[in-house]
Amino acid sequence: FQAEDGIRDAQESRGLGDVYKRQVISPDLGKNLELAVGFRNILVHNYMEIDYELVYEALQENLGQFEQFIEQITRFIHEQRG
């Protein structure tokens, strides 16, 4: 995506909000991915003691979100190309 599209850097969690508000991905997926980014921030910045069982559960339950993201972004790109 380009800056002129009005979408911030997707590496920032706020950029995900731009992506789903522009209907590139579904709102539900966008909100779930924002939660995943928040979870990642907790892990990376060590805001609290890490519960490895919780990390494992989160990964097992939410890996499908990344597949959905790829599918929705791919569909958007194909639609843009006409």
Side-chain angles (χ1 to χ4, degrees):
F1 301 107
Q2 303 293 324
E4 59 268 13
D5 294 329
I7 298 174
R8 289 178 272 193
D9 186 344
Q11 292 180 18
E12 300 177 23
S13 63
R14 295 179 306 273
L16 283 171
D18 292 344
V19 172
Y20 72 80
K21 287 177 187 167
R22 298 280 308 269
Q23 298 180 345
V24 175
I25 62 174
S26 70
D28 287 340
L29 178 59
K31 290 174 186 174
N32 287 335
L33 290 174
E34 282 186 335
L35 291 173
V37 170
F39 188 60
R40 171 236 173 240
N41 288 343
I42 289 171
L43 294 175
V44 170
H45 300 295
N46 201 20
Y47 294 139
M48 54 193 266
E49 189 172 323
I50 297 173
D51 181 340
Y52 292 101
E53 284 187 38
L54 180 63
V55 172
Y56 180 80
E57 287 176 24
L59 289 173
Q60 295 302 306
E61 293 175 12
N62 299 305
L63 281 178
Q65 292 177 3
F66 300 106
E67 292 173 358
Q68 289 176 8
F69 180 77
I70 292 167
E71 290 170 5
Q72 292 180 26
I73 291 293
T74 301
R75 184 174 345 132
F76 176 79
I77 291 169
H78 287 292
E79 290 171 357
Q80 296 302 306
R81 290 183 178 169

